[in-house]
Amino acid sequence: MNVYDSQRIASILEKLGFSATSSQPQADIVIFNTCHIREKAAEKVFSDLGRAELIKQERAEQGLDTIIGVCGCVVQAEDEQIAKRAPFVDFATGPLTYHRLPEILARIGHQKGQPIIDTEFPVESKFDYLPDHQASGACSYLAIQEGCNNFCTYCVVPYTRGVETSRPVDEIIKEAKRLVADGSCELNLLGQNVNSYHGEDNNGKERNLAYLLRQLNEIDGLERIRYTTSYPADVDDDLIACHKDMKKLMPYLHLPIQSGSDSILKAMNRRHTSGDYLKVIDKLRSANPDLGFSSDFIVGFPGETDADFQATLDVVNSVKYIQAFSFKYSRRAGTPAALMPNQVEEKVKKERLDILQDLLFSYQLKFNKESVGKVMPVLFDMKGRHKGQLIGRTPYMQNLHAELGKECLNKIINVKITDATTNSLSGIREE
Ligand code: SAH
Ligand code: SF4
């Protein structure tokens, strides 16, 4: 979601006459788009800001002004900390108010020396104000839903991204058509709980994600559709049916369980047990036996015992994820879990994370190795590190590199997989 927000921030600035530079000392404006989900991510911004201040000083010696801004969830949660720890910041705006950047930048001109901080939860939708943005290549992100009402006890999202809202169907279709006309053939629909989507159609009727997917399926030139991240309790039968018959829907689904232990899931305030989750996986597999799954996991949530952790490993052994993201529980101020008494020791968290990741990687490697010899359609959207090499993604989101000419960039090419490691595949063009 932050990548998508950054692209939209870039298009606001382009409309104002700025262009992107990859060299920070050349930048007249430097914006950090920040993540608050875990402590490490949130802390990183303060060290990055320190470096940016030094560059700002060096530029000032050459008579150049630099505006330093912070966007994203850290601003929403830690606006006072930013003002205190980085007083040289010119502006800070949360994830729901960055459409106000033109006004903020104009005010900086008049209000030198005083940071402008905007952390309001606005009544207007930023999407009504953002200028159109260009496709980011063959694969584009498209935000369809934002915010969350689930209040998992460890998570900051409901506090930083606000209540759950869905964009209207027509607005999304229009943006999708524009991105496709602009060169994208794959769209990844985004939302903190993307499958809780309930946007209105033109008649004011609420529609679900399955309805939206079927509308998008009709767009000529759009070849691949993905959506992320889904909440297990909100996977409905309509959505499962899409995985049975919608050819454009990729056979890869990110469906986070967090923990395999029912008592931990309850303490996390998740609306599913591990049994409910496995039932959803079964239904999806019955609809499409070729589906591959990924998940997020948190180890060391307060009160997690060895038996709870074992239940997580049991789920992994049952689902056999083809990819996964796993984290040590991070205590976030303001969330209920931060105040729970039975916090798990750092050492135990680390041990459990190592064990879990070894298991997850073993399944990932197994899946990748089983791909060897198969022919898969691969969308190549990046140049490789070596000359004559392109990097792309299989339907299962595996990274693949192949020796191919530039003419294959941004195209879907059939590739025979020749080799596999845990993190990538290689292959040759299948004529
Ligand atoms: N809405 C999605 C997840 C969005 S947050 C869902 O419910 O599955 C992305 C991931 O960050 C979560 O799935 C979770 O695994 C991780 N996460 C969130 N808060 C965390 C915390 N306090 N400590 C560690 N990981 C956390
Ligand atoms: Fe956070 Fe996801 Fe839970 Fe919402 S459902 S509170 S985004 S982990």
Side-chain angles (χ1 to χ4, degrees):
M1 188 66 98
N2 267 21
V3 172
Y4 175 83
D5 285 336
S6 298
Q7 289 165 355
R8 305 233 50 176
I9 289 168
S11 31
I12 298 175
L13 294 174
E14 275 158 19
K15 283 270 175 308
L16 297 176
F18 291 92
S19 59
T21 170
S22 54
S23 145
Q24 201 172 314
Q26 271 182 13
D28 299 312
I29 305 186
V30 181
I31 298 180
F32 294 92
N33 193 17
T34 61
C35 175
H36 196 248
I37 200 89
R38 284 171 293 276
E39 191 178 359
K40 220 168 157 185
E43 272 307 307
K44 195 169 178 296
V45 70
F46 289 104
S47 50
D48 286 344
L49 278 169
R51 274 192 292 277
E53 189 200 10
L54 293 180
I55 296 176
K56 182 173 176 153
Q57 284 165 358
E58 283 164 18
R59 280 172 52 92
E61 284 160 19
Q62 297 159 36
L64 298 167
D65 272 346
T66 312
I67 293 174
I68 298 182
V70 190
C71 292
C73 292
V74 172
V75 176
Q76 206 63 42
E78 300 196 20
D79 51 342
E80 284 170 18
Q81 281 292 315
I82 290 174
K84 211 157 81 193
R85 291 173 65 181
F88 51 86
V89 160
D90 298 281
F91 73 88
T93 170
L96 304 176
T97 42
Y98 63 77
H99 57 290
R100 297 178 181 165
L101 262 176
E103 180 200 323
I104 291 173
L105 291 175
R107 275 166 59 199
I108 288 173
H110 297 285
Q111 230 175 283
K112 275 221 156 114
Q114 227 184 332
I116 296 170
I117 298 193
D118 188 352
T119 51
E120 196 194 322
F121 280 123
V123 283
E124 78 273 15
S125 161
K126 68 183 172 207
F127 295 107
D128 293 339
Y129 296 85
L130 292 172
D132 290 348
H133 66 303
Q134 295 204 319
S136 47
C139 308
S140 283
Y141 289 123
L142 202 176
I144 65 164
Q145 178 276 336
E146 189 159 24
C148 180
N149 298 342
N150 282 323
F151 290 91
C152 299
T153 52
Y154 50 82
C155 183
V156 293
V157 168
Y159 311 97
T160 55
R161 292 256 175 190
V163 293
E164 192 195 303
T165 53
S166 296
R167 296 176 69 190
V169 173
D170 258 31
E171 195 180 303
I172 295 166
I173 301 291
K174 236 185 257 162
E175 188 169 327
K177 284 186 175 160
R178 205 169 32 70
L179 291 169
V180 170
D182 219 17
S184 290
C185 58
E186 175 175 311
L187 292 181
N188 196 342
L189 311 181
L190 301 180
Q192 269 79 36
N193 284 299
V194 74
N195 62 326
S196 319
Y197 176 82
H198 57 270
E200 286 186 359
D201 68 10
N202 265 348
N203 301 317
K205 188 169 174 197
E206 276 197 3
R207 298 295 191 167
N208 60 12
L209 179 61
Y211 177 88
L212 181 68
L213 288 171
R214 290 191 188 277
Q215 299 291 307
L216 291 164
N217 200 44
E218 299 300 312
I219 298 178
D220 283 340
L222 177 57
E223 312 271 351
R224 294 174 156 201
I225 306 174
R226 304 179 186 276
Y227 61 93
T228 194
T229 295
S230 293
Y231 189 81
D234 293 336
V235 176
D236 61 18
D237 289 344
D238 288 352
L239 188 58
I240 294 173
C242 290
H243 284 280
K244 194 181 173 92
D245 58 35
M246 263 185 65
K247 291 268 173 303
K248 291 183 182 178
L249 197 55
M250 290 292 97
Y252 168 83
L253 185 59
H254 184 56
L255 195 60
I257 185 169
Q258 313 298 352
S259 165
S261 152
D262 287 345
S263 59
I264 293 294
L265 288 170
K266 194 155 181 251
M268 286 177 162
N269 194 32
R270 300 282 291 182
R271 287 185 284 113
H272 58 85
T273 61
S274 62
D276 299 333
Y277 177 89
L278 292 174
K279 243 183 254 158
V280 171
I281 297 266
D282 274 353
K283 277 191 183 178
L284 283 158
R285 281 213 164 113
S286 310
N288 180 0
D290 293 332
L291 259 178
F293 294 94
S294 70
S295 176
D296 292 344
F297 296 92
I298 296 177
V299 298
F301 183 82
E304 187 187 68
T305 61
D306 285 342
D308 293 320
F309 177 59
Q310 183 57 47
T312 299
L313 300 179
D314 293 345
V315 167
V316 174
N317 285 320
S318 161
V319 179
K320 303 179 174 52
Y321 295 97
I322 65 171
Q323 264 181 51
F325 305 89
S326 44
F327 316 100
K328 287 184 285 186
Y329 165 70
S330 172
R331 206 169 175 175
R332 310 304 289 127
T335 60
L339 300 175
M340 290 181 183
N342 35 10
Q343 300 287 326
V344 173
E345 254 182 276
E346 191 56 32
K347 185 171 145 272
V348 175
K349 284 188 203 171
K350 173 145 191 352
E351 277 166 15
R352 288 183 185 161
L353 188 66
D354 288 346
I355 294 169
L356 175 64
Q357 291 190 334
D358 279 351
L359 187 64
L360 289 168
F361 286 145
S362 73
Y363 282 115
Q364 187 170 324
L365 180 63
K366 186 165 180 285
F367 181 76
N368 286 353
K369 290 268 185 218
E370 282 165 5
S371 305
V372 175
K374 291 186 182 161
V375 175
M376 290 197 211
V378 178
L379 173 53
F380 288 94
D381 63 339
M382 267 191 292
K383 286 191 187 141
R385 233 183 300 157
H386 308 295
K387 204 163 172 254
Q389 191 189 54
L390 295 182
I391 299 179
R393 246 147 307 277
T394 72
Y396 293 99
M397 279 298 234
Q398 296 149 295
N399 285 321
L400 180 141
H401 50 87
E403 304 295 320
L404 284 172
K406 278 200 298 274
E407 69 285 357
C408 297
L409 196 59
N410 296 332
K411 294 214 171 77
I412 297 173
I413 310 272
N414 280 334
V415 173
K416 184 165 189 173
I417 318 298
T418 52
D419 208 355
T421 63
T422 309
N423 290 317
S424 74
L425 305 178
S426 40
I428 48 172
R429 186 176 189 156
E430 175 85 357
E431 296 301 336

